[in-house]
Amino acid sequence: LHVTHKMSATTVIVIGGGFAGLSTAVRLADSGVRVLLLEAKSSLGGRARSFIDPPSQEVVDNGQHLFLGGYQETLRFLDRLGTRRKLVFQKRLKVTFVESGGRLHRLNCPALPAPWHLLFGVFGLSSLSLRDKWDLRRIARALANGEAASPLLDNLTVEEWLTRWNQSQRIRQAFWYPLAVATLNEDPSRASALGFVCVLRVLWTQPWRQARLGMAVTGLSDLYTEASRRIIEQKGGAVFLNRAVAGLEIEDSSVKTVRLANADALSAQAVVSALPPSILSRILPASFLEGDPIFRNLKRLTTSAIVSINLWLDRPVTTQPFVGMVGTRVQWLFNKSAILSSALEAGDGLGLARAKDKADDARL
């Protein structure tokens, strides 16, 4: 496996075969670039993949993923792959929250112009007091007039931002925190307010269809990995599994050589990294990390883990496809039998699928 600078067509090496790497590779391939994609593992998908659970022989995702109707780039990518039909969206944004003791609260947003769809939904939440709902208008007004879009928000946490807008502890626990964890995958005391506001602006200012939640009704790998591989290969590129990158040789701020763990060396006109910061920092030269103004802080970036627990139960525990958990260490429960079933009622949200004869499985 060798590539030299004497190639007649532009060749780009993409490192990492997860969602970011594959979407980048497909875009490059469609632009007439020959793509060589390197994936360290034996399968594509990275942190958004599925696999067969050996004891049950059922498809299991390595983490539940939710999609927003406002994920326009993601949806365009799936349209290009021809797999968007494997993603089912709610008819309208609906979320059921459950408190300790079993009390239910429902967010049910009508099909109204923004921001009324979300305002009416939040105002109908029984978990919020009249004062909470009244205080919500401050954030709604800020999102509508652009006051909340300042880049300076990156210096605030979500927690600090909510304090600035006088949001009570009750509305934080019942609404803001579950939303922040679901969209940012980080504790509100650490997550950037800028990222949270970007999400809120989509929910609050865009048409109501963009606020709907969607889920893959197949394993995550089936949603995009093989379709991406086919396009890359059809366009003259190649996908290589079990090809861990050991290091990058850099001269004059350009990657000259990609060294693999098996001692192979590759060159191309450009190299794209779709690796997590912790891995990228290990393959870049130490001198480059210390001297480059962009990459010198790479090691300071940390990750926030998603912990998923898969349970196979001997009886159904919910008629909901998913519920938000309020005031607990577990944020969401997903009924995978309902979600993965082909009998999902797309016209009425992610409804309960037909009952299975075998044990119902759920994910916390």
Side-chain angles (χ1 to χ4, degrees):
L1 177 60
H2 285 279
V3 183
T4 70
H5 284 292
K6 297 180 180 180
M7 295 170 290
S8 58
T10 299
T11 298
V12 174
I13 295 174
V14 175
I15 307 173
F19 205 96
L22 288 171
S23 59
T24 300
V26 168
R27 179 72 67 87
L28 288 170
D30 282 342
S31 301
V33 173
R34 182 183 179 226
V35 176
L36 301 180
L37 186 138
L38 307 176
E39 169 55 46
K41 296 184 174 62
S42 59
S43 61
L44 297 171
R47 299 182 184 184
R49 65 181 178 88
S50 53
F51 56 93
I52 301 296
D53 173 63
S56 67
Q57 288 299 298
E58 293 190 357
V59 176
V60 175
D61 294 332
N62 69 336
Q64 178 65 47
H65 283 61
L66 291 173
F67 297 80
L68 275 178
Y71 288 177
Q72 296 302 312
E73 290 298 326
T74 298
L75 296 178
R76 275 192 282 270
F77 175 48
L78 298 181
D79 280 336
R80 171 65 183 94
L81 301 182
T83 60
R84 185 171 175 174
R85 67 187 184 280
K86 298 180 180 181
L87 203 60
V88 175
F89 282 90
Q90 300 170 306
K91 183 178 179 181
R92 300 186 307 275
L93 175 60
K94 297 180 181 180
V95 181
T96 298
F97 296 96
V98 60
E99 287 188 286
S100 178
R103 187 181 179 193
L104 299 179
H105 308 282
R106 291 182 172 85
L107 176 71
N108 192 348
C109 297
L112 294 175
W116 300 108
H117 64 304
L118 199 57
L119 283 173
F120 271 81
V122 174
F123 278 25
L125 265 177
S126 58
S127 57
L128 304 181
S129 68
L130 289 176
R131 178 60 183 270
D132 291 332
K133 297 170 184 178
W134 178 252
D135 289 342
L136 189 68
R137 79 193 192 283
R138 298 189 182 98
I139 288 182
R141 189 159 49 233
L143 292 170
N145 60 27
E147 290 179 17
S150 170
L152 296 178
L153 290 176
D154 207 22
N155 297 322
L156 294 176
T157 66
V158 172
E159 183 81 46
E160 291 168 338
W161 185 75
L162 293 173
T163 299
R164 172 175 290 189
W165 292 104
N166 298 318
Q167 300 299 289
S168 71
Q169 193 63 29
R170 177 61 183 171
I171 194 172
R172 297 185 198 205
Q173 292 287 346
F175 183 69
W176 293 123
Y177 289 170
L179 180 61
V181 171
T183 56
L184 302 180
N185 184 39
E186 180 58 282
D187 190 281
S189 65
R190 298 181 58 191
S192 164
L194 181 60
F196 191 51
V197 168
C198 289
V199 173
L200 291 180
R201 286 183 63 80
V202 172
L203 294 175
W204 221 276
T205 65
Q206 298 302 309
W208 61 269
R209 287 184 176 85
Q210 298 198 29
R212 298 175 301 161
L213 295 175
M215 298 184 191
V217 293
T218 185
L220 285 173
S221 294
D222 293 335
L223 186 63
Y224 72 103
T225 58
E226 288 308 309
S228 297
R229 182 207 288 265
R230 283 194 298 272
I231 291 174
I232 295 168
E233 294 175 344
Q234 288 168 0
K235 298 286 186 176
V239 174
F240 299 98
L241 303 178
N242 300 305
R243 293 294 195 278
V245 174
L248 301 177
E249 296 179 3
I250 298 178
E251 296 179 14
D252 299 325
S253 298
S254 297
V255 178
K256 297 300 180 182
T257 305
V258 178
R259 291 186 291 102
L260 303 185
N262 65 0
D264 281 341
L266 306 177
S267 298
Q269 279 84 353
V271 176
V272 176
S273 169
L275 299 173
S278 59
I279 299 178
L280 179 60
S281 64
R282 293 202 297 266
I283 66 174
L284 286 170
S287 58
F288 180 78
L289 283 173
E290 295 169 0
D292 189 272
I294 295 178
F295 289 96
R296 65 168 56 129
N297 291 321
L298 191 62
K299 290 185 176 180
R300 295 178 58 190
L301 296 175
T302 59
T303 58
S304 177
I306 300 174
V307 178
S308 297
I309 305 171
N310 296 279
L311 301 176
W312 281 259
L313 306 176
D314 61 357
R315 62 184 65 86
V317 296
T318 178
T319 59
Q320 301 288 330
F322 68 99
V323 295
M325 313 287 282
V326 177
T328 70
R329 296 186 66 182
V330 175
Q331 285 85 32
W332 297 92
L333 180 147
F334 295 92
N335 183 346
K336 296 298 289 187
S337 290
I339 296 169
L340 292 177
S341 172
S342 60
L344 281 166
E345 299 174 9
D348 189 29
L350 289 164
L352 183 66
R354 65 179 182 272
K356 287 187 175 181
D357 292 331
K358 58 183 177 179
D360 193 22
D361 61 324
R363 174 173 293 160
L364 287 173

